[in-house]
Amino acid sequence: MDRGGTVTAYKKKLIEVAIPLEAINAASAREKSIRHGHPSTLHLWWARRPLAACRAVLFAQLVDDPSGHPDKFPTEEAVEAERQRLFRIVEELVVWENSTNDEVLERARVEIRKSCGDELPAIYDPFSGGASIPLEAQRLGLPSFGSDLNPVAVMIGKAMVEIPPRFKSNPPVHPGGRDRIHYRNAEGLAEDIRYYGEWVREEAFRRIGHLYPQVDLPKELGSGKATVVAWIWARTVPSPDPAFADTRVPIASSFLLSLNAGKEAWIEPIVDKRAKSIIYKVRSGGTKAQLEKAKKGTKAGRAVFNCIFSDAAITGDYIDRQAAQGKMGKTLLAVIAEGPGGRRYLSVDSLSEQAATVAAEAAVAKLDLSYLEIPCRGTFASNAQGRRYGFNTFKDYFIERQLVALNAFGELVREVRSKIEKDALAAGLSSEAIPLREDGNGAKAYAEAVSVYLAFAIDRVADAGSSVATWSSSGFIRFTFARQGIAMTWDFAECNVFSDSTGNFLGAVEWVWKALLGLSSNAAGKIVQHDAQTVKIPQNAVISTDPPYYDNIGYADLSDYFYVWLRWNIRDVFPAQSSTITVPKAEELVATPYRHGGNDEAEKFFLDGMTQAVSNLALQASSQFPATIYYAFKQSEVEQDGLSSTGWATFIQAVISAGYSIVGTWPVRTERAARTVASGTNALANSVVLVCRKRETAAEVITRAEFIRALKRELPPAIAELQAANIAPADMPQSAIGPGMGVFSRYNAVLESDDSPMSVKTALQLINKELDEYLGGIQGEFDPDTRFAITWFEQNGLKAGDYGTANSIATARGISVDSVKHAGIVESAAGKVRILSRDELEDDWDPEEDRHLTVWECLQHLVRQHEKDGISHDTAVLLKRIEAKAEAVKDLAYCLYDISANKRKDAKEATAYNALIADWTELTRQAATIHDTRGDRQIRLDI
């Protein structure tokens, strides 16, 4: 029987009862800081789940909870002891260093075999994306399958889970290889990728190295030659000032090159208005004022610049128009080089630079780049469409030398395939002509496999080597996809693909071969291109999946950037995945308003499609195991009703409508705090793993009152279990959703008083309310923003706390941090969230005009007025103006007094609420005599 006394015909799995969440979260967060050698660095994919979390979830999904074996564990003590033993296995399993430790992995496999018998179930992920789940299933020795509609995701998946097992433990084939007796996993393949990557680099340098000349160092910098690390460019447009309309002016967001202590460097533009010319000189050192001025470049505001000659405003619209007319250009500002004495920042005065630029322009004119002349979205971020700024096709994202280099590498990757095949034949691989796409494992297939990974290296160079990549004054190049979108950059850094610094080709190859070393192929894998709504999965497969997150990430639009290169470079290796001009978009299960005609239409598309997809999986999946579905929160829009959890509620609705009952929710923290996307934007803060079972076909229909009674009966013991499992307070709201939704979703419907079915949003609100009552200290039916503020205040007072924790608390209450910010309750910036003090509240606040009115604001404004004037006319007027919320305000005052006095030990804060409550009767009496005449907004007293 389960927590509510319902009979279950299956043994509960560990994940349905308890998991060592803190260990999983710690390992997941740490994993995000591991770069070299992590499989995720094989190729960029957005919002991947950490491998530690996937590995732990799969283990807990398959292994029996000891409570299901009363013959072996007859007492609660015995059950708990066994559960702790399993926890220790998970705690070992999630450590990054153990991800290729066969001894640790085998201990986990033994437990899986104990619970599953001789025939291990297949794992299927129908939204395989970056292939984290299939990879970890494979690592645990399970048959691993996945599918995705996106061809880039499919190619990544094949490179992660299909290709390495096929050539597992093979020695390298390159001449002079085989210097070891034994090669594990993909070590031989990785060595060949490095060898043939070096060949590609050397041959490319022979062909186009003249476009990348070294620079001559001046005497004061030691003389001699130095290798360029980056060329710093700024975009230009004709000045909007008629007096200088024939002159191109720079639009640069910064002239800073280095802010490293003792190595400060910046660009000084020397302007000659009479000659209408600009010379850019690199300066070292500098005063604080000079560095501050350099930091601003020519920027005056967001997408607004000043003409360097006349100070005339250059707006984003003006720039966009000039770009559309083909009048946007570029100018070289500085050169950054690496010489015997270290990093050097140089002015542009070399004829060789001009010659190289002219040569690159001539070289690109001879190339057939029609494969890049495909319409793109310009600048964008998820659903937000930016201006085009001349980015009309994918070719436009790159300047001439970048195009020549990327095209040359692509040609050589295709050329090297015949060389690899010849070497593979000489090394003893089969001469069969079966290609890689048809499961070949001979010399031809092997050559194709190596070329796939070299094509991934080219994609990495394309990420670093576009005109969107920028220079950081900390001394490195920021890649194109520093964000989940393509943002406009005004000054940009062109990397040297033949250097030893960021963006070089050999460095990209190194990332790829090191990523392969992190793979442990213990079972076969297969990834296919298919939509989730109609895909056929292996019989009795177990579902674990990480589906699209409502409107959060436009995977198709993002991956187009790489698809155009992959399609050109390895189209003959994966012709089926290269058959479309761009990545399929119409069928992509993302709520994209611009694609579907509006928000409502996008929500319906997502709900219908996700319901169909999950229904398809539920029909085919094994009934002996729960399904696990990841959902990552990222809601920043503030809806009219204050709820911003549309994606969360819509997703749960799709899962329930598909025939699943949700029996558990586990919040897994997966994102690094130090990310480029700032707090308050659409940045994934954490994931919730939904644990689902197929709902009984004979499920009942109950009323709202019966549902609330069931919640009151079943939620408290469930929360007690979560507390006993050491669930952190910040994770409790989302963890409690599991047993609450378990009650809601096990019925066919919960009917409201008018016989309409209760919505998921309403159910979430009721679950949150019951949780608040259980945890104590929460009084009255407050709005979600106020409930967030109470929890945040109890934990942090008026001090700043981490955005991720705040978002975890907010999303569990059906809102976002942005909603609370919009309500005027908190400040959210730089990854921190802080409740505004009463001194920071708006002086001209009008509750009758406030379209996002909360109980919290009402109380804080009232307390501020009372602290200032005590029992006064103005205080009574304010109470009158919030009359509709007066009782809730009083309840909140009691609540916050208790928190301040008893939990936070803040006597000053407690006194403020206590004083207001002490004067409440008199203030109420005075307020009752006040009438608001709305015509002239004057207050009239009854005398």
Side-chain angles (χ1 to χ4, degrees), residues 7 53 176 194 216 339 377 476 480 532 595 655 683 821 864:
V7 175
R194 182 165 57 170
D216 295 312
R377 270 188 71 181
F476 61 89
T480 302
R595 199 178 289 160
V655 172
K821 182 179 179 181
R864 183 172 70 169

Side-chain angles (χ1 to χ4, degrees), residues 208-214 231 233 332 348-363 400-401:
I208 63 170
H210 63 284
L211 301 180
Y212 293 85
Q214 288 189 310
W231 292 269
W233 298 83
L332 190 58
V348 181
D349 51 13
S350 170
L351 292 176
S352 63
E353 289 298 334
Q354 299 174 30
T357 300
V358 171
E361 291 171 353
E400 293 84 1
R401 185 160 42 193

Side-chain angles (χ1 to χ4, degrees), residues 474-800:
S474 296
F476 61 89
I477 293 175
R478 297 187 195 92
F479 284 24
T480 302
F481 288 102
R483 300 170 182 264
Q484 291 166 0
I486 295 181
M488 183 57 181
T489 58
W490 309 104
D491 43 274
F492 60 93
E494 180 192 4
C495 61
N496 183 348
V497 296
F498 298 114
S499 71
D500 293 325
S501 297
T502 309
N504 78 87
F505 179 72
L506 272 189
V509 171
E510 181 178 332
W511 281 92
V512 171
W513 74 258
K514 282 189 174 180
L516 270 181
L517 297 179
L519 304 182
S520 179
S521 309
N522 293 294
K526 188 75 175 176
I527 306 291
V528 299
Q529 187 176 3
H530 212 291
D531 65 86
Q533 293 96 319
T534 60
V535 70
K536 299 296 181 185
I537 72 174
Q539 188 173 9
N540 291 323
V542 177
I543 300 298
S544 185
T545 190
D546 181 22
Y549 309 128
Y550 191 62
D551 64 344
N552 298 353
I553 299 173
Y555 295 96
D557 289 323
L558 291 168
S559 56
D560 265 342
Y561 181 91
F562 297 114
Y563 179 72
V564 294
W565 293 106
L566 289 171
R567 182 171 176 263
W568 180 247
N569 293 330
I570 51 175
R571 63 191 183 280
D572 46 350
V573 178
F574 296 129
Q577 282 71 50
S578 308
S579 60
T580 55
I581 300 297
T582 58
V583 171
K585 296 177 181 65
E587 307 93 335
E588 183 185 33
L589 266 182
V590 176
T592 312
Y594 84 87
R595 199 178 289 160
H596 299 289
N599 290 329
D600 291 343
E601 294 83 356
E603 182 176 346
K604 183 178 186 303
F605 170 81
F606 180 84
L607 179 59
D608 291 349
M610 191 57 69
T611 301
Q612 185 182 348
V614 180
S615 297
N616 179 48
L617 301 173
L619 284 172
Q620 300 180 71
S622 170
S623 60
Q624 294 304 305
F625 300 89
T628 53
I629 306 174
Y630 293 73
Y631 185 84
F633 288 104
K634 188 201 69 174
Q635 295 289 328
S636 62
E637 78 279 6
V638 179
E639 298 178 9
Q640 190 172 359
D641 63 358
L643 292 174
S644 61
S645 58
T646 302
W648 174 230
T650 302
F651 188 81
I652 291 178
Q653 186 64 64
V655 172
I656 293 171
S657 299
Y660 272 127
S661 176
I662 297 169
V663 297
T665 49
W666 299 107
V668 179
R669 301 189 185 283
T670 58
E671 303 303 320
R672 287 184 297 146
R675 61 186 188 276
T676 303
V677 181
S679 62
T681 64
N682 281 357
L684 298 178
N686 80 340
S687 302
V688 170
V689 179
L690 280 71
V691 185
C692 309
R693 285 279 188 178
K694 294 183 182 181
R695 189 166 57 245
E696 296 293 330
T697 53
E700 303 174 63
V701 173
I702 62 169
T703 66
R704 178 190 180 103
E706 290 171 320
F707 172 56
I708 292 174
R709 284 198 295 272
L711 278 182
K712 290 183 179 296
R713 182 174 65 250
E714 299 183 34
L715 207 51
I719 296 169
E721 286 185 23
L722 293 171
Q723 288 177 319
N726 297 319
I727 300 302
D731 293 327
M732 183 61 75
Q734 288 171 330
S735 298
I737 290 171
M741 289 308 301
V743 176
F744 179 76
S745 61
R746 71 166 172 250
Y747 298 103
N748 268 334
V750 176
L751 299 182
E752 299 279 15
S753 57
D754 61 356
D755 285 342
S756 63
M758 179 182 287
S759 70
V760 167
K761 281 186 180 180
T762 300
L764 283 170
Q765 290 167 348
L766 291 172
I767 292 166
N768 288 329
K769 183 182 174 186
E770 292 302 321
L771 171 63
D772 288 343
E773 289 186 7
Y774 174 84
L775 296 177
I778 303 299
Q779 308 260 337
E781 296 186 3
F782 303 132
D783 52 87
D785 299 275
T786 297
R787 292 207 309 278
F788 167 91
I790 292 167
T791 304
W792 195 249
F793 176 73
E794 183 173 343
Q795 293 184 9
N796 299 282
L798 299 181
K799 293 181 179 179

Side-chain angles (χ1 to χ4, degrees), residues 447-496:
E448 291 177 337
V450 174
S451 72
V452 167
Y453 297 104
L454 293 178
F456 282 10
I458 294 174
D459 278 8
R460 188 172 182 86
V461 174
D463 194 4
S466 78
S467 69
V468 180
T470 58
W471 180 256
S472 167
S473 57
S474 296
F476 61 89
I477 293 175
R478 297 187 195 92
F479 284 24
T480 302
F481 288 102
R483 300 170 182 264
Q484 291 166 0
I486 295 181
M488 183 57 181
T489 58
W490 309 104
D491 43 274
F492 60 93
E494 180 192 4
C495 61
N496 183 348

Side-chain angles (χ1 to χ4, degrees), residues 174-498:
H174 68 80
R178 300 178 182 241
D179 58 349
R180 292 160 48 185
I181 297 174
H182 181 62
Y183 287 82
R184 294 174 66 248
N185 297 318
E187 290 174 346
L189 177 60
E191 188 175 311
D192 275 334
I193 290 165
R194 182 165 57 170
Y195 177 89
Y196 293 105
E198 289 173 351
W199 182 90
V200 168
R201 190 266 185 199
E202 293 308 313
E203 185 61 23
F205 187 76
R206 189 182 66 79
R207 297 181 187 184
I208 63 170
H210 63 284
L211 301 180
Y212 293 85
Q214 288 189 310
V215 291
D216 295 312
L217 294 176
K219 286 184 179 179
E220 62 268 22
L221 294 179
S223 299
K225 297 286 187 180
T227 300
V228 176
V229 168
W231 292 269
I232 307 301
W233 298 83
R235 302 184 201 278
T236 61
V237 291
S239 172
D241 188 322
F244 299 96
D246 59 344
T247 307
R248 290 185 172 274
V249 295
I251 41 179
S253 58
S254 177
F255 285 131
L256 271 181
L257 296 174
S258 173
L259 270 180
N260 293 326
K263 298 180 180 179
E264 294 85 355
W266 47 285
I267 301 163
E268 181 186 8
I270 299 172
V271 177
D272 185 334
K273 291 186 178 182
R274 180 171 296 180
K276 296 183 180 180
S277 66
I278 310 168
I279 297 173
Y280 300 98
K281 287 292 183 182
V282 171
R283 307 296 188 194
S284 299
T287 65
K288 184 177 180 181
Q290 287 174 322
L291 293 173
E292 279 298 318
K293 183 180 179 182
K295 186 178 181 180
K296 295 177 181 178
T298 62
K299 198 167 187 178
R302 186 171 183 178
V304 179
F305 297 81
N306 291 125
C307 171
I308 204 165
F309 287 101
S310 68
D311 215 32
I314 304 175
T315 66
D317 284 338
Y318 175 81
I319 298 169
D320 198 26
R321 288 197 304 273
Q322 296 300 306
Q325 296 170 27
K327 295 180 181 179
M328 179 183 278
K330 64 185 184 298
T331 186
L332 190 58
L333 301 179
V335 176
I336 303 173
E338 201 76 50
R343 183 68 53 86
R344 302 299 187 188
Y345 302 91
L346 307 171
S347 301
V348 181
D349 51 13
S350 170
L351 292 176
S352 63
E353 289 298 334
Q354 299 174 30
T357 300
V358 171
E361 291 171 353
V364 82
K366 298 176 183 177
L367 299 177
D368 177 7
L369 298 176
S370 56
Y371 62 94
L372 296 175
E373 292 170 348
I374 298 167
C376 66
R377 270 188 71 181
T379 64
F380 67 94
S382 191
N383 286 320
Q385 180 61 53
R387 297 185 180 98
R388 286 207 165 268
Y389 293 119
F391 297 141
N392 297 307
T393 72
F394 290 96
K395 178 183 174 183
D396 298 325
Y397 288 127
F398 306 90
I399 63 173
E400 293 84 1
R401 185 160 42 193
Q402 293 171 333
L403 289 167
V404 172
L406 289 165
N407 188 76
F409 288 131
E411 288 178 348
L412 286 165
V413 164
R414 292 190 294 278
E415 284 181 30
V416 78
R417 208 176 291 150
S418 59
K419 177 177 174 60
I420 301 169
E421 184 174 353
K422 180 181 177 182
D423 291 342
L425 287 169
L429 266 66
S430 168
S431 61
E432 64 180 16
I434 302 174
L436 187 69
R437 65 180 178 273
E438 295 177 10
D439 299 331
N441 58 8
K444 176 182 175 63
Y446 188 78
E448 291 177 337
V450 174
S451 72
V452 167
Y453 297 104
L454 293 178
F456 282 10
I458 294 174
D459 278 8
R460 188 172 182 86
V461 174
D463 194 4
S466 78
S467 69
V468 180
T470 58
W471 180 256
S472 167
S473 57
S474 296
F476 61 89
I477 293 175
R478 297 187 195 92
F479 284 24
T480 302
F481 288 102
R483 300 170 182 264
Q484 291 166 0
I486 295 181
M488 183 57 181
T489 58
W490 309 104
D491 43 274
F492 60 93
E494 180 192 4
C495 61
N496 183 348
V497 296
F498 298 114

